[in-house]
Amino acid sequence: MFRVPSVLAVAGTALALATATGTATATATATATATATATDGVGDRTACVTRTSLGVVSGTADAGLCVFRGIPYAAPPVGERRFRPPQPVSPWKGTLRAVDDARVCPQDRDVLTEDYPDDRKVYTDEDCLHLNVWTPRPDRAKRPVIVFVHGGAARYGTGNEPRYDGRRLAARGDAVVVSLNYRLGVLGWTELGGLDPSYRGSGNNGLRDQMTALRWVRRHVADFGGDPANVTVVGESAGAASISAMLATDHPERLFRRAVLQSGSGALVHTPAFERELAAAFPIRDIAALRTMPVADVLKVQEKAVAALPGAAGGALYFGPYVDGTLVRESVVKRVAAGNARGVDLLVGSDRDEVNFFGQFTPNGLSGLARQYDAFFPKELAARRERMTAVYRKGRTRREAALAMFTDQSVRIPALRLAEAQSRWRPTYVYQFDWAPPKGIGAVHTIELPFVFGTLRFRGVPGGDEALRTDRARLTTLSNQMVDAWTSFARTGDPAARRTISRPAWPPYRTPRRATMIWDLPPKVSDDPRGNERALWNGLAFDGTTL
């Protein structure tokens, strides 16, 4: 089991990585696309226009791309629809001007790690189930489609963050890029079925939101120049955990053809027992009162609930997808190993020093974080801990060894288990991001995001901005290499098929070789990196988060 530490308190973005998806669908099938340009009323800029079965949509022209921001993919989850599965969005009359880049699902601002589109301190608009599209042109070119699901502990963040701007991916990769919002915190991830059976499954509504957005993409992305039969979903942290959960739903290949999991896996999907513990800890027992409560008050109740549980359970891991037996059928690794996702190509990886990220929020920094690992280490491996620690201590200080074990247990090893399970069925690729700012605290959680998107915005990455100022040319090259790899994977299923910049070939991950791309200056391929440490975790089942 992936066990929650009893004392790891980290509020903010989340190594727990939970996010959400959707279940309801948009309406009708896509119709023929009409491509045109029209003035948008702001100076002499022009907006791109396309026609969908829901109505006409206009966006803006930006550096050779058409950008559509704030397109609704589901009905507003307000009033009687609060805590219910997402419902179909209604067609609109006239032209929808998709220029809204400020949609953020309800949350208190995370000032340390998220890259918000504005300076609001609290976000309270529940009408947030919107998505953004970047495309070279809304024609019928059938470009590969990349859909991004953001992280943030299923409690923070938005698809509208500037660091997730899809322009570089769309332009360099000739792809259609989509980012989306989904319900967060209590509103998207609290199981209320124990209070009222009609709300059974509400703990996965955030996941249903995401799945609804993916169905919207399959129906309408052709109107934006994308290929609905070639969709790659990309998730980071909580987003990756959510996509992992989708791999354990029925027929995930109907949602996407390929998946990229960055710093998250099925080990962070809640077990049924853990979800029951969280539901029992929720302080309000009256659903009617909760359904009509002002959003600001809901957020206050949410923070009290989070604070009531110890450590990571009260912060990073409180919210997220869970195995409900209906939508998410079983533990992700078991389901994938049995071939449930045999129609999905997979790319998965982690950052070398993932957990160091949380040292920014921990008393006494990295030293305090390393001490907390005692409560995190799995009881099942207690008899071999001394031997494991001795292996990790080679070339490391005691603190460095504890943090390396912490990262391996929480992110790297579960990702490798998932890759190994899927490699039996479909081409699977593994990476590790190793580059670290010279004056930072390592290759921490989220560090790969500025490179994957080509935005080079180092929010929450100590030393990142200074490194960019002093080494911009080499970091830009590394980013271009990763953009090429991600878009090549989206186009062909092979991240090395498109190598416009010199970098090594990237073989699929198969045992016993276990070829792994190491993203660094320069990148390299390593066979079974730190394999002796990987093998120490054999026998531990990473099949869900539990207390």
Side-chain angles (χ1 to χ4, degrees):
M1 291 292 184
F2 185 84
R3 200 173 297 281
V4 174
S6 59
V7 293
L8 175 61
V10 258
T13 308
L15 198 46
L17 318 163
T19 55
T21 72
T23 189
T25 62
T27 65
T29 56
T31 59
T33 300
T35 306
T37 59
T39 61
D40 68 358
V42 183
D44 60 355
R45 291 187 301 165
T46 60
C48 301
V49 179
T50 189
R51 183 180 300 276
T52 76
S53 61
L54 293 169
V56 177
V57 187
S58 71
T60 57
D62 184 356
L65 299 173
C66 287
V67 182
F68 303 83
R69 298 180 183 272
I71 303 174
Y73 67 82
V78 300
E80 292 296 321
R81 290 193 290 267
R82 184 187 274 183
F83 304 115
R84 297 294 190 183
Q87 298 300 307
V89 62
S90 298
W92 51 82
K93 296 180 180 179
T95 298
L96 174 70
R97 297 187 69 248
V99 294
D100 183 358
D101 63 355
R103 296 278 174 173
V104 175
C105 287
Q107 61 190 275
D108 292 315
R109 186 184 190 89
D110 177 359
V111 299
L112 295 174
T113 63
E114 300 300 331
D115 189 19
Y116 292 99
D118 56 38
D119 59 0
R120 282 177 285 173
K121 294 182 179 179
V122 180
Y123 297 90
T124 59
D125 187 0
E126 290 183 81
D127 182 8
C128 62
L129 300 186
H130 291 224
L131 53 76
N132 310 306
V133 180
W134 292 262
T135 178
R137 186 174 175 82
D139 51 21
R140 287 287 174 174
K142 290 192 174 182
R143 298 174 181 86
V145 181
I146 298 172
V147 181
F148 179 69
V149 183
H150 71 81
R155 184 176 165 204
Y156 300 106
T158 171
N160 294 331
E161 297 189 27
R163 65 175 165 178
Y164 304 147
D165 189 291
R167 284 178 294 180
R168 188 66 174 161
L169 283 168
R172 188 173 178 90
D174 190 30
V176 176
V177 178
V178 180
S179 68
L180 60 95
N181 290 334
Y182 56 90
R183 281 175 285 181
L184 303 170
V186 167
L187 295 169
W189 302 99
T190 298
E191 180 52 55
L192 301 174
L195 303 180
D196 182 340
S198 72
Y199 285 87
R200 186 168 292 123
S202 62
N204 272 329
N205 278 343
L207 188 64
R208 291 185 172 91
D209 290 344
Q210 296 169 16
M211 295 171 73
T212 297
L214 287 165
R215 293 187 184 103
W216 188 99
V217 168
R218 292 293 292 262
R219 286 185 172 90
H220 301 293
V221 78
D223 299 326
F224 297 87
D227 182 355
N230 192 12
V231 175
T232 297
V233 62
V234 179
E236 187 270 341
S237 191
S242 293
I243 297 168
S244 296
M246 291 184 215
L247 296 177
T249 64
D250 291 341
H251 301 292
E253 74 281 357
R254 295 179 182 175
L255 295 173
F256 45 80
R257 185 173 180 178
R258 302 183 177 96
V260 180
L261 307 181
Q262 300 171 203
S263 302
S265 71
L268 291 151
V269 174
H270 297 173
T271 64
F274 185 37
E275 192 67 22
R276 286 193 295 269
E277 293 264 5
L278 297 177
F282 195 68
I284 292 183
R285 317 307 295 170
D286 184 345
I287 290 182
L290 187 60
R291 193 179 63 243
T292 58
M293 186 180 294
V295 176
D297 292 340
V298 172
L299 293 175
K300 292 177 182 177
V301 171
Q302 171 178 305
E303 294 312 300
K304 290 180 180 178
V306 169
L309 288 180
L317 289 171
Y318 194 105
F319 302 109
Y322 80 103
V323 177
D324 58 9
T326 302
L327 181 64
V328 184
R329 294 286 191 177
E330 192 181 12
S331 114
V332 174
V333 170
K334 289 179 181 177
R335 195 96 157 123
V336 168
N340 189 68
R342 70 185 69 191
V344 178
D345 300 331
L346 184 65
L347 190 158
V348 60
S350 60
D351 304 319
R352 186 191 63 202
D353 308 302
E354 291 274 2
V355 300
N356 290 18
F357 176 88
F358 300 102
Q360 300 175 81
F361 326 115
T362 305
N364 300 313
L366 294 181
S367 295
L369 186 63
R371 286 195 293 272
Q372 291 180 357
Y373 184 53
D374 284 344
F376 193 84
F377 189 82
K379 296 177 181 178
E380 299 93 322
L381 301 183
R384 66 172 91 162
R385 182 174 183 181
E386 185 175 341
R387 178 169 61 87
M388 293 176 67
T389 301
V391 174
Y392 274 88
R393 278 297 307 275
K394 293 178 181 178
R396 297 187 181 98
T397 65
R398 183 175 297 277
R399 184 181 80 177
E400 290 170 344
L403 294 174
M405 293 177 72
F406 207 159
T407 286
D408 279 5
Q409 180 185 331
S410 56
V411 186
R412 186 175 82 101
I413 304 303
L416 295 181
R417 292 284 181 84
L418 183 60
E420 185 174 341
Q422 183 65 353
S423 69
R424 304 169 191 167
W425 302 99
R426 294 293 295 174
T428 300
Y429 297 85
V430 170
Y431 76 87
Q432 180 174 299
F433 192 91
D434 274 17
W435 177 82
K439 296 183 180 180
I441 55 175
V444 301
H445 188 57
T446 76
I447 194 172
E448 85 289 354
L449 285 168
F451 294 90
V452 168
F453 279 90
T455 57
L456 296 179
R457 295 176 66 92
F458 290 95
R459 184 71 173 173
V461 178
D465 289 335
E466 182 176 353
L468 181 61
R469 286 192 296 270
T470 60
D471 202 8
R472 180 178 290 272
R474 290 203 303 162
L475 296 189
T476 299
T477 297
L478 178 59
S479 175
N480 288 339
Q481 291 169 326
M482 295 188 72
V483 168
D484 288 348
W486 263 237
T487 55
S488 175
F489 179 74
R491 184 176 296 279
T492 68
D494 179 356
R498 183 174 184 266
R499 286 190 280 166
T500 58
I501 294 180
S502 176
R503 58 178 170 83
W506 188 348
Y509 188 86
R510 298 190 183 97
T511 58
R513 182 182 176 185
R514 301 177 183 272
T516 303
M517 174 64 76
I518 306 296
W519 291 111
D520 205 342
L521 299 175
K524 64 180 180 180
V525 170
S526 177
D527 291 344
D528 196 15
R530 294 168 46 216
N532 61 330
E533 295 172 355
R534 172 194 54 76
L536 295 172
W537 301 93
N538 289 346
L540 182 65
F542 292 92
D543 57 2
T545 298
T546 185
L547 286 172

